[in-house]
Structures are given as structure tokens and as C-alpha cells.
Amino acid sequence: MPAQLIDGVALSKSLRAEIGARAAALAGAGRRPGLAVILVGDDPASAVYVRNKVKACEECGFHSVLEKYEATLPEADLLARIAALNADPAIHGILVQMPVPRHIDPHKVIEAIATAKDVDGFSVHSAGSLMSGLPGLRPATPYGCMKLIESTGVALKGKRAVVIGRSNTVGKPMAMLLLQANATVTVCHSATPDIAAHTRHADVVVVAVGRRNTLTADMVKPGAVIIDVGMNRDDEGKLCGDVDFPALREALGDSGRITPVPGGVGPMTITMLLANTLQAAEVVR
Ligand code: NAP
């Protein structure tokens, strides 16, 4: 029997219903959660991402603002817009869609966003809070992965977890969240010589590389939980993840769990962005 699927669409739907109800309660108290999304340039993938984010906001009853600028926007103008949004009481979360054009320093942009409104959780302050175990806004993708693992009922305490990938936006915060949940965590990356030696003993594997078939059936143990963050295209141009899905699903057996791509991590990322914006609106005094 193949592993059970972890359904990110269904989990997102139930979480968004909860978020919508809490947003309505806040709106009733005169504090409708508000997200500002800034897009600089005309990258088509980025345009789709921001549209989906704004649409999700509207569906949950949030106030949302989408600001689009030409790719030539000077860095100083972008920083000035962020400063204005930092001071805007109707806005609780600010997101600048990455990547920004080359003449703009992404670090400066991220650090310009007020910590309380850093709903992407990418700033040094937010990363430091996560590292120190302090409250704060967590990066949406790893936060969503944690919710997906939680939904399986598998308790992380004492389990072996392997994260493949160490980006600041996915791999590293993922490892920190797993550590906080008392898993024993190993992080693999492009210089790890024998990744299978780690994953074969893992109870949970999170793959965030961006390369098809990074995790194959011979690299996992039966019964493991696999979270596939990757977004790639297969030979037919269809969306696929970082794992060899059909073979790996068989190898895990019926006690294993795996996220599909699409329909796993993707929908959860936007949901956790909404959760962060709601959280930011709820803590405003
Ligand atoms: P990234 O910044 O490019 O980082 C990729 C990581 O993978 C790096 O740490 C790199 O190691 C590691 N890596 C590369 N080749 C490897 C190999 N052969 N073996 C082991 N590790 C290897 O990517 P990212 O932003 O973290 O995203 C990863 C994937 O997740 C992408 O496909 C992205 O599209 C997807 N993603 C999906 C969502 C979603 O919502 N579904 C959100 C974010 C990202 P080094 O550090 O050593 O170079």
C-alpha cells in the first residue's frame, strides 16, 4: 500500500475558514487586518504570486493593497513607500515580492519593513527571534510545513528530522522550527557527500532544493513523513516537486505520509502569510 497523502488544499481550507472568522471579529472591533503587497518589475511568475496573495486576502475578508511599480523604480523611492506603509495604521503586514530588480538591495528592503509588519519573517530581527526561541513572525513556507507535519498526528519530540536545503527563507528556518519542536535535526546541502546516509534514518524529511528527484525511493525508510517544498517542471512541463513521487510513495508504505506537488506545501504558504498578517493585526495595541 502506498503512503497516505498530506492534503495541503484541505488543511488550507480549514485554516483559512478559521482565519476568516478571526479577521471578521477583529474587523468588528474596528481593526480589519491589512496586507500591502509591493511588486517591482514585470516578472510573470511574481505577478501570479502577488495576485494569488491579494485574492486570498480578499477571500478572508482582509484589507489588501497591491502596489505595482516599473522595474526602473529607484531604491530610495521603494524605501520611502515602505516607510509610509510602516506608518499606516490600516496596514499590519508588508510584503515586497522577491526578487527585486538588480539595482535594488533586497537586504535593505527587508530591513526597511517594521519588525511588527514583517509578515514574510525574513528580517534579521525575525530570524533572530526564531533562532532565540522568542515570539515573532515565522517565514510562511516552513511555518506551513510545520502545520502539515502537525496534521499527520506524528509527534516530533525525539524524532530524527532531515532538512535538505539551507536557504534563509526555507531550509534554515525549517531546521529551527523542527529543533524547537524537539526533533533531532540534520541539515543537508549541496556539499553534503552522502545525503541518503542521513535520510535513510529519518522519521521526517523536508526537501527544499529546487531539483527534481533529489529524494528517491532508496533514500527513505518505510513509515517516514516526507514534505516536498520543491517547485519544478517535469519533461511535459507539469509542476512537480523535489521527490520521485510515485516510487517514493510506494517505498514509504501505508504508514508513511507524503505531500503531493501541487496540493501540498504551495497552498499552505499563502495561508500562513494570512495567519501572520492576522497575528500582526491582533497584537497591535
Ligand atoms: P534556494 O535558495 O535555491 O536554496 C536551495 C538549497 O538547496 C540550497 O541550500 C542548496 O545548497 C541546496 N541544494 C542545491 N543543490 C543541492 C543538491 N544537489 N543536494 C542537496 N542540496 C542542494 O531555494 P529555496 O528558495 O530554498 O527553494 C527551494 C525550492 O522550494 C524551490 O524549488 C522553490 O521554488 C521551492 N519553494 C516553494 C515554495 C512553496 O510555497 N511551495 C516556497 C518557497 C520555495 P547550498 O546552500 O549548498 O547551495
Side-chain angles (χ1 to χ4, degrees), residues 8 13 29 55 62 65 77 89 105 109 111 113 146 167 208 223 230 251 266 275:
K13 204 172 159 201
K55 189 166 159 258
F62 286 25
V65 177
D77 291 9
D105 178 350
V109 170
E111 296 309 319
I113 298 169
M146 290 301 286
S167 67

Side-chain angles (χ1 to χ4, degrees), residues 104-127:
I104 297 176
D105 178 350
H107 299 291
K108 257 196 212 171
V109 170
I110 291 167
E111 296 309 319
I113 298 169
T115 300
K117 300 188 179 188
D118 175 28
V119 285
D120 256 341
F122 293 163
S123 69
V124 170
H125 189 282
S126 297

Side-chain angles (χ1 to χ4, degrees), residues 49 141 164-171 188-192 195 207-211 214 228-232 242 265-270:
Y49 294 148
T141 300
I164 315 179
R166 58 173 166 179
S167 67
N168 288 337
T169 50
V170 188
C188 299
H189 45 77
S190 65
T192 305
I195 292 175
V207 200
V209 168
R211 199 192 61 161
T214 295
D228 189 354
V229 183
M231 285 199 308
N232 311 295
D242 283 351
V265 174
M268 287 299 291
T269 294
I270 295 188

Side-chain angles (χ1 to χ4, degrees), residues 5-13 15-16 49 52-53 139-152 163-164 167 169-171 173-174 177-178 204-210 225-232 239-243 245 257-274:
L5 292 181
I6 310 172
D7 186 346
V9 175
L11 182 58
S12 276
K13 204 172 159 201
L15 287 174
R16 286 189 198 190
Y49 294 148
N52 289 343
K53 287 168 186 174
T141 300
Y143 189 11
C145 293
M146 290 301 286
K147 290 283 176 193
L148 288 162
I149 298 169
E150 211 177 278
S151 77
T152 66
V163 180
I164 315 179
S167 67
T169 50
V170 188
M174 187 72 234
L177 288 168
L178 289 163
V204 175
V205 183
V206 181
V207 200
V209 168
V225 175
I226 310 296
I227 307 292
D228 189 354
V229 183
M231 285 199 308
N232 311 295
L239 193 63
C240 68
D242 283 351
V243 314
F245 185 81
R257 318 284 175 91
I258 186 165
T259 55
V261 178
V265 174
M268 287 299 291
T269 294
I270 295 188
T271 299
M272 301 325 290
L273 170 69
L274 297 174

